[in-house]
Amino acid sequence: TVVGVGTVQLTATQAGNDTYAAATPVVRSVVVKKGSQVITFPEIANQTREVVSIELKATSNSGLNITYSANNHVFISNNIAMLNSAGRVEITATQAGNENYAAATPVTRSFCITPRKPSITLLGDNSTGPLLTSSDPNGNQWYRGGTAIDGATGERYVATASGTYTTIVTIEGCASEKSDDKVVTMGTGAPPDPNNPITGVNEPLDELSLRAFPNPAEAEVVVELTGPRFVTVSFSLRDVLGRPVMQMQGTTNNSRSIDLREVPKGVYFVEAVAQGKKYVTRLLK
C-alpha cells in the first residue's frame, strides 16, 4: 500500500526450505511521485446586476480545497462571489497541491454581469433640441426607430428628429436590456442645456434604493444606491451614535466598496445622501 511520495526500497527474499538454500535477496528502488489532480469548474451563466452573489462550484478530484481569484467586478469570500459592478468577469480556480498531490492546472471561467436596464429622462419635448438622458452614464448606444445613431454613445443625446428613441448600455462587451421606448416630438420651444451635468433635478428620487452586501460583513462591504437617473451621492458609514466612521463620494447605479478590516465589530448604519434626500440601511460586522 502506497502511503506517501518518495523513494521506496522493496526487497524480495526467499528463506529456502529442506530442499533449497535461501535465495540471495533482490532490492529494487521505486519512486512514488505526487499524484496529479484535475479541477472541474462548471461554466457560469451571465448574471444581471440585480443578483447579489453566486456560489462557485469548482472541485478537484483530489478532494483538496479550491482557491478562487478574480479580476474586477466581484469580491470573493471562500466560495461565494459578491457581484459589485457590470462588466466582464474572469474567475480562476486553483489548487496548489500538497505533500501528496502536484498543483492542478488552473481553470478560468468568464461571464458577464450585465448592466441594469437603462431608463431615459426626456427634457424639452416639443423644443428645437429635446434632451434625452440615460440613467447610466457609461456605455450607451442611442437608437432611433431601432437603428443605431452613429456616434451617439454619451450619457445624453440631443434629438435631431422626431421618433422613438432607446438606448442600450454595454460594458466590456456585456449588454443590458434595451430601455423602454421614449417618444420624442420636435417643436419650436427653447431647448434645455445639453451641457448641464445633472438634468431633471426637480424630478423626485422616490425610486432610489440603497443596499449593502454582504450583510453581515467582515472584511469589505459593497454599497450601492440604485435608481432611474444618474446623480451624485455622498456615502457614509456611521456608528450607533450617528458619528461618521468613513465617508466617500459616488454616483447612483455605481457600487462603492468600504474596507472594514480596521473597523471594530458592532452595529453600523450605511447612509447615502442624494440631492438632499437621505437613505439609510443597517449593517452588522
Side-chain angles (χ1 to χ4, degrees):
T1 302
V2 177
V3 296
V5 301
T7 301
V8 180
Q9 286 192 334
L10 302 177
T11 302
T13 62
Q14 216 302 314
N17 60 12
D18 294 340
T19 304
Y20 289 93
T24 301
V26 177
V27 178
R28 293 289 183 265
S29 294
V30 177
V31 177
V32 179
K33 297 181 179 179
K34 287 187 176 184
S36 61
Q37 55 175 330
V38 177
I39 292 174
T40 300
F41 193 2
E43 296 287 347
I44 302 173
N46 290 343
Q47 307 292 320
T48 67
R49 283 293 288 115
E50 286 69 29
V51 176
V52 174
S53 63
I54 58 173
E55 182 181 4
L56 305 176
K57 299 181 178 180
T59 59
S60 169
N61 61 344
S62 68
L64 298 176
N65 291 333
I66 298 294
T67 299
Y68 299 97
S69 60
N71 62 349
N72 298 326
H73 309 302
V74 300
F75 169 73
I76 295 178
S77 177
N78 297 321
N79 67 328
I80 301 297
M82 273 74 76
L83 312 187
N84 295 348
S85 56
R88 174 67 60 177
V89 180
E90 289 188 350
I91 298 179
T92 300
T94 59
Q95 215 308 308
N98 62 9
E99 64 274 13
N100 293 320
Y101 286 93
T105 300
V107 178
T108 299
R109 293 291 179 246
S110 176
F111 65 97
C112 274
I113 302 175
T114 57
R116 285 190 174 85
K117 177 181 176 180
S119 60
I120 299 174
T121 300
L122 171 61
L123 295 179
D125 198 25
N126 288 298
S127 73
T128 57
L131 178 61
L132 299 160
T133 302
S134 170
S135 58
D136 197 314
N138 302 308
N140 288 278
Q141 172 60 64
W142 292 92
Y143 296 78
R144 182 167 65 88
T147 300
I149 302 171
D150 186 36
T153 57
E155 175 192 357
R156 295 175 293 278
Y157 177 72
V158 178
T160 57
S162 298
T164 300
Y165 288 80
T166 56
T167 186
I168 294 175
V169 175
T170 303
I171 306 294
E172 298 172 0
C174 302
S176 71
E177 290 184 64
K178 177 174 68 69
S179 70
D180 291 337
D181 293 346
K182 185 66 70 173
V183 178
V184 173
T185 302
M186 301 295 294
T188 59
D193 181 4
N195 297 314
N196 187 354
I198 299 179
T199 60
V201 294
N202 294 321
E203 296 180 19
L205 293 176
D206 294 341
E207 297 181 57
L208 294 185
S209 174
L210 175 65
R211 65 173 184 162
F213 59 93
N215 192 359
E218 294 184 4
E220 183 180 45
V221 64
V222 177
V223 297
E224 183 178 57
L225 189 65
T226 59
R229 293 188 291 112
F230 171 63
V231 296
T232 301
V233 182
S234 296
F235 291 104
S236 61
L237 180 69
R238 296 179 178 271
D239 63 18
V240 292
L241 298 178
R243 297 173 299 193
V245 178
M246 293 184 186
Q247 294 177 305
M248 65 181 68
Q249 294 296 309
T251 59
T252 51
N253 304 310
N254 285 295
S255 302
R256 295 299 304 267
S257 296
I258 299 177
D259 189 345
L260 300 176
R261 287 174 294 182
E262 302 299 324
V263 176
K265 291 184 179 295
V267 178
Y268 296 89
F269 294 92
V270 176
E271 179 181 285
V273 178
Q275 292 186 207
K277 188 167 183 178
K278 184 186 299 183
Y279 305 82
V280 180
T281 188
R282 191 174 74 157
L283 173 69
L284 298 178
K285 182 190 176 184

